[in-house]
Amino acid sequence: MDASTIESLLSGFYGLSWQGGVMIAVGILLIYLAIAKEYEPLLLLPIGSGCILANLPISMLVGTSEEPGMLQLFYDIGVGNELFPLLIFIGIGAMTDFGPLLENPKMVLLGAAGQFGIFLTLILALVLGFTRPEAASIGIIGAIDGPTSIYVSAQLAPHLLGPITVAAYSYMSLVPIIMPPIMRLLTTKKERSIRMPYSSREISQRTRIIFPILVTIIVGILVPFALPLIGTLMLGNLLRESKVVERLTGAAQNELNNVVTLFLGLAIGSTMVGENFIKAQTLFILVLGLGAFVLDTAAGVLFGKLMNLFSGGKFNPLIGAAGISAFPMAARVVQKEVSREDNGNFVLMHAMGANAAGQVASAMAGGVLLALMASA
Amino acid sequence: MADLGWGLQMMLLGMGAVFLMLIALMIVLMLLGRTSKAPTATAVEAAPGEATLTAGDAVEAAEVEADPNAWMTIADASGLTPEQIAAVSVAVALHADVRRKQAAPAHRVHAPGSRLWASRWVAMGRSSQMHNTQRR
């Protein structure tokens, strides 16, 4: 037995680094948050696991450029070419009921207001010294939509994919904690107590089927860059509303979504390698991501106040905060805040309409951002 | 400074584009909402005049005339009447209860969450523990 044999046997010890150790701790923290706190466990658990697997010395699962390991293969086949976020969008579309939005189309405007955070965060990122593509990628955290964030940042700044994804999903799980203080700060008790009558309108199946087809065609013509996101979202919704492909709908909602979520999480986790991740830049991204969520909520509430003004005091401004993509969590948070002031006040269906609009709007905003960056 | 100007320009263009697209979508959705009418209401109105009524239709039409609220429909795409939906719901609940009783051990035949769910033996034990009269 010569020295090289012993060296080979102990290569794991020789390959240890402090950065790897820190990232393993980060991975354990993500797994803890997923299991103990149930913060987006479907994503954070695979991301945490991927992070640990990628940071162990000489990780065979990452491999080398000549012989890529499993994690690298997942990244190449699904994240590098933006396939996985689109597949997840099919599943999201198959799970989403756009009925509340179709009942009250005016709520679409609140979905647009919820995207202000993207561009305000972009400006803040520029101020902090990030390049234009990096700033746009960080700004997209404000879409509050995981797949959109991954899709856009994989194109504009792939080297920031890890921190951006972790920020997007971590803060998304913290929506019930982040949003309420801002909502309370920007509204009065009287405004929060405004009751809004709700009259249920039956949406015919024909309308439900026409909706995804029409949205796909309109967006495809107006912003071709948004077509991959909106097209897949609406494809999933068409499967659901057609009611003739139950098996495909079920597969999109369950098998496809679950498998892709697992692969996506592991692939994202594997990008969080210590040498690239432990930087001041990562800390800035996490702070800016939080800022994006705060700005989105504030912009939504302020736009809600504007709608309240135009409606002669009949619109509850808190509903504006639901115009983001965190579906249906944002709508639930709004209802909870409204109930806090007046237990008998129900605005959930209005908030669900704004929330569904936020989903469409975030995908559109992602496409618009890509279109603007392509011409920049 | 140039970057800041570019960022502001991006915000104006970006938000402008998002708002314009969504306003267009809102108008389309409003038009779509106007063109679609509730099919059930017209069907009920047409029923008495139809020449080829079945016996079931006739009974339903009679019920419609008798009940002023009969035009109300439950938002269900399958086209089932509220009575049929109620009957299916009761059947499903009964079936679930039977399955639960078949699957659960003898002392857990009641729905979880109900007071009857707990075993009587456990309840008695707990009660005697809480009301322990034995002197120490």
Side-chain angles (χ1 to χ4, degrees), chain A residues 143-163:
Chain A
I144 315 193
D145 189 295
T148 304
S149 302
I150 295 168
Y151 183 81
V152 172
S153 56
Q155 288 193 35
L156 298 179
H159 57 286
L160 298 182
L161 196 56

Side-chain angles (χ1 to χ4, degrees), chain B residues 2-40:
Chain B
D3 273 348
L4 205 61
W6 176 81
L8 285 168
Q9 194 186 338
M10 287 284 281
M11 187 167 82
L12 284 175
L13 282 173
M15 282 314 295
V18 171
F19 263 104
L20 278 178
M21 276 199 303
L22 288 171
I23 287 169
L25 182 64
M26 184 182 79
I27 293 166
V28 170
L29 289 182
M30 282 174 161
L31 291 174
L32 199 64
R34 282 189 184 181
T35 53
S36 73
K37 291 173 185 172
T40 46

Side-chain angles (χ1 to χ4, degrees), chain B residues 81-98:
Chain B
T81 63
E83 289 79 14
Q84 286 169 329
I85 291 172
V88 170
S89 307
V90 170
V92 168
L94 281 174
H95 178 65
D97 202 34
V98 170

Side-chain angles (χ1 to χ4, degrees), chain A residues 62-108:
Chain A
V62 176
T64 59
S65 54
E66 292 82 31
E67 284 183 42
M70 182 186 80
L71 297 176
Q72 186 61 44
L73 281 174
F74 284 159
Y75 184 88
D76 292 341
I77 62 168
V79 181
N81 55 13
E82 299 106 32
L83 175 68
F84 285 166
L86 300 182
L87 292 178
I88 287 186
F89 254 55
I90 296 178
I92 293 174
M95 285 191 275
T96 307
D97 177 12
F98 285 105
L101 177 63
L102 292 167
E103 282 177 22
N104 195 354
K106 283 176 194 160
M107 292 295 167
V108 165

